[in-house]
Amino acid sequence: MKILLGPVVALALAASALQPFPVAAWESDKGAEATYTFLPLSDLKDDDGKVWMHSVRAFATAPIPVADSVFLALRAAYQGLFVAYEDIVFSYPDGKGGVFTEADLPDKLHALDAALGVGAALSDELSVYGEFQPGIHSDFEDVTSQDVYYQGGLMASWKFSEELTGIVGVYYGDDFGEPEVFPLLGVEWQIDDDWALDLFLPEYGVFGYRAAEWLTVGLRGRLEGHQFRLSEMTPWENTVARYEQVLAGPFLDLHFSRHVSLRLEGGIATGRTFEFRDADSSAKLYNGDLEDGGYLSVSLAGYF
């Protein structure tokens, strides 16, 4: 899944000429991040079989000032989803005289996105941001123009005080496993010197406590999802993999400096779907709803 906080990075940058960095290390302050997430073997809810997956995600944003309080933002993002299957039983005609079975399912899926955004601070309180984001989401076996997804959004932020900023907007993307339009609502609230609330819904929510200059602990929830297009005739002409889940649990941030931190995180993975279907109909290879499970994640982030 692409990272929605990428647009927020540029929005924060557009306003940064008018406001100091907050005491908290906001998610939107991240200029680059690499994350590894592991999810153990999980049972399908309604069919026989298990799915195991782990993922690698990375993004980097380059702000380019073009005028007073106006920025361009160039961003590249990648997610690799690596999957293994066990005892999923089905067979489906592959359109070539044979049948499509578990052995034919892809074990690697990729999302490679590029984005161009424009942000501007219109006043001491108001900032706006817009972004266009094309990307290739597929198994990379037979890449064509049909593998390209077009996404983007518009947002605005209002600085109510030095401690509180609100964000509203609208976004078109595949975060829920298929492309659709959904609203955005966010807040960055420095509650006091130690406690902070960082929300950008539906992408993430973070409630943190700065226990020491080098340590933050707290709770984090986040939505992950993508739609990947597979090679033609596997088994349908327009076969897609739909992936969606919510990860929530405690985290620990180790701040090596103002600009670099390491996050360790673990908890529950819920609301999970991983399935293969025909994008032109309601046909599926199997019911891809997964049982809840645990996850572990580690990430390294660089801050502006």
Side-chain angles (χ1 to χ4, degrees):
M1 169 184 160
K2 78 181 164 318
I3 302 175
L4 274 179
L5 58 85
V8 188
V9 169
L11 184 59
L13 287 169
S16 64
L18 299 178
Q19 64 183 54
F21 284 101
V23 174
W26 306 116
E27 297 292 294
S28 63
D29 290 336
K30 292 177 180 178
E33 185 176 41
T35 304
Y36 171 78
T37 303
F38 171 76
L39 296 107
L41 205 63
S42 301
D43 290 311
L44 293 171
K45 282 186 176 181
D46 301 317
D47 286 322
D48 293 332
K50 303 175 186 290
V51 177
W52 170 91
M53 66 179 68
H54 61 124
S55 69
V56 175
R57 299 169 20 142
F59 78 90
T61 301
I64 304 172
V66 295
D68 290 344
S69 302
V70 178
F71 288 81
L72 292 179
L74 302 178
R75 181 167 54 90
Y78 168 78
Q79 179 179 10
L81 188 64
F82 306 94
V83 189
Y85 314 92
E86 184 176 304
D87 302 326
I88 301 178
V89 180
F90 66 88
S91 62
Y92 205 97
D94 65 2
K96 302 176 183 178
V99 294
F100 193 82
T101 68
E102 177 192 316
D104 300 302
L105 295 176
D107 57 5
K108 295 182 287 291
L109 298 166
H110 308 275
L112 183 62
D113 296 289
L116 172 63
V118 179
L122 303 182
S123 68
D124 288 353
E125 294 82 19
L126 178 62
S127 298
V128 294
Y129 178 75
E131 178 180 277
F132 173 64
Q133 178 179 305
I136 299 172
H137 301 180
S138 80
D139 56 3
F140 277 29
E141 293 294 330
D142 182 22
V143 177
T144 70
S145 60
Q146 291 181 298
D147 297 333
V148 179
Y149 288 77
Y150 297 98
Q151 303 167 103
L154 297 170
M155 329 177 194
S157 75
W158 184 269
K159 181 181 173 184
F160 295 96
S161 68
E162 293 295 333
E163 295 77 26
L164 180 63
T165 297
I167 301 170
V168 295
V170 63
Y171 203 87
Y172 176 76
D174 64 350
D175 300 76
F176 291 97
E178 55 188 321
E180 60 183 303
V181 177
F182 51 89
L184 302 173
L185 181 64
V187 63
E188 292 178 345
W189 181 19
Q190 186 69 52
I191 301 170
D192 60 24
D193 289 345
D194 301 318
W195 295 93
L197 179 64
D198 190 355
L199 295 177
F200 189 61
L201 303 177
E203 171 68 9
Y204 63 79
V206 180
F207 184 58
Y209 173 71
R210 193 68 175 257
E213 184 176 349
W214 57 273
L215 175 65
T216 298
V217 296
L219 298 173
R220 182 190 187 205
R222 53 189 162 114
L223 170 70
E224 291 190 347
H226 263 318
Q227 179 171 278
F228 304 89
R229 186 177 180 278
L230 307 189
S231 303
E232 291 188 5
M233 302 305 293
T234 53
W236 303 287
E237 185 174 354
N238 197 11
T239 305
V240 295
R242 179 174 178 266
Y243 153 62
E244 178 187 354
Q245 63 186 7
V246 175
L247 306 179
F251 72 88
L252 180 152
D253 283 351
L254 300 174
H255 306 289
F256 300 120
S257 71
R258 177 182 176 86
H259 300 289
V260 180
S261 70
L262 178 71
R263 172 169 290 174
L264 304 175
E265 181 183 338
I268 186 172
T270 187
R272 304 180 66 197
T273 298
F274 184 78
E275 64 187 12
F276 298 89
R277 61 183 179 86
D278 181 7
D280 300 321
S281 73
S282 58
K284 299 179 182 180
L285 290 179
Y286 59 86
N287 188 325
D289 292 341
L290 292 167
E291 296 285 355
D292 294 347
Y295 78 95
L296 295 173
S297 179
V298 59
S299 60
L300 184 67
Y303 293 84
F304 291 110

